[in-house]
Amino acid sequence: MPLACGLCDKQAILKRPKTGDALCKECFFLAFEEEVHQTITDASLFIKGETVAIGASGGKDSTVLAYVMKILNERYDYNLNLVLLSIDEGITGYRDDSLESVKRNEIQYGLPLKIVSYEELYGWTMDAIVKQIGLKNNCTFCGVFRRQALDRGALMLKVDKIVTGHNADDVAETVIMNVLRGDIGRLRRCTAITTGTDGALPRCKPFKYTYEKEIVMYAYFRKLDYFSTECIYSPNAYRGFARAYIKDLEKIRPSAIIDIIHSGESLSVKKEVKMPVQGVCVRCGYISSNTVCKACIMLEGLNKGLPRLGIGKTHKERLKMAEQIGEKEDSSINSQNLKSCVSDHFRPKSNSTSFEKNQLDSFWVQISQSGQSCCKSNTVGCSCQRSVVCKDVTAGIQSSVEQQKINSSVIDF
Ligand code: SF4
Ligand code: ZN
């Protein structure tokens, strides 16, 4: 005898993986969407009028997220301005195909789409990175770059928040991985529904309590257009083990996923445990708990043909690597790159006066004669103020220019 839907008198066509309830298609859609709405309102994820970027990869999670966000935005008058934001890692045969799905979603859902690529941001595609580093650790590079790329894309779009399709299974996996690694800092942060409120752009996970199996069912019954192929560079063995473990637990007890998340949420860390302090990277200005962020160190390693530079696990190792970068630059420093570094402190603009340009040249002469070194970062736009030269040059030029402005305004007056 056919099973009746637990919420109406229609025939049930599925059993919800999360609750075991037998439901018809329409009641499943409603239950799924209402749970996401409940998560959004319970955590007060959005404020009316905000612009929200949906991290869209073309996969099932982000496609369902974009669809549900659009529906809920209209149904409950969230009054959000939704945009799709995709990252092109440069993986031929994978990301190029999945981005085609996002481009179709752009039209199907009527949401504007912005694509930013690793190539434009870092000068490297994942294809090129894998060619240099092989298939070990490639996901570490990809993950670190993607995280920053999403922030950078979102800043280009001037959005207020980013939402990602991380689901309950992903969060539970991350809890388990952080327990196994003993990473207390991440363990404490990883169950937060919103992260990045301490300076970077806030990121929210409206699917934090949504089971992956239900997302697959929702996409299937709604006939959503998504891309389901695995990345061709997808060894990520560690997460793979955590995933398999969670799936095994789910088979025995479906509530295990939510239970792990609740355990992570209830965790309290002893006061004596030192937590990483979030600051900003002195090179790129993006959020980092180290002087130089992992993305910058990795990029440096790739550019110098030392790709293992960014793979160190501990803060101590990373600090050592940051120092190594400095030392390498120190030994390779010559008058030309010193000049370019100094120029970056006070880059003449198209409307700079000849006085400002002359000041730069005269400081350059003084510095090259004094034999002092610059901050060693040799980074475009560097304004680190770390070395004596950096401070002197910036302060010196600015005060000269200010003085000249005062002089000229006095004359004008
Ligand atoms: Fe990047 Fe690894 Fe994911 Fe592929 S599987 S997209 S290489 S993080
Ligand atoms: Zn950085």
Side-chain angles (χ1 to χ4, degrees), residues 148 281-286 288 292-297:
Q148 197 189 73
C281 168
V282 295
R283 285 203 163 184
C284 65
Y286 283 88
S288 168
V292 181
C293 75
K294 199 162 178 180
C296 281
I297 294 185

Side-chain angles (χ1 to χ4, degrees), residues 89 91 94-95 126 138-139 142-143 146 231 233-234:
E89 297 93 343
I91 303 176
Y94 168 66
R95 187 57 80 216
M126 272 311 289
N138 58 298
C139 291
C142 192
R146 187 185 308 107
C231 171
Y233 303 136
S234 156

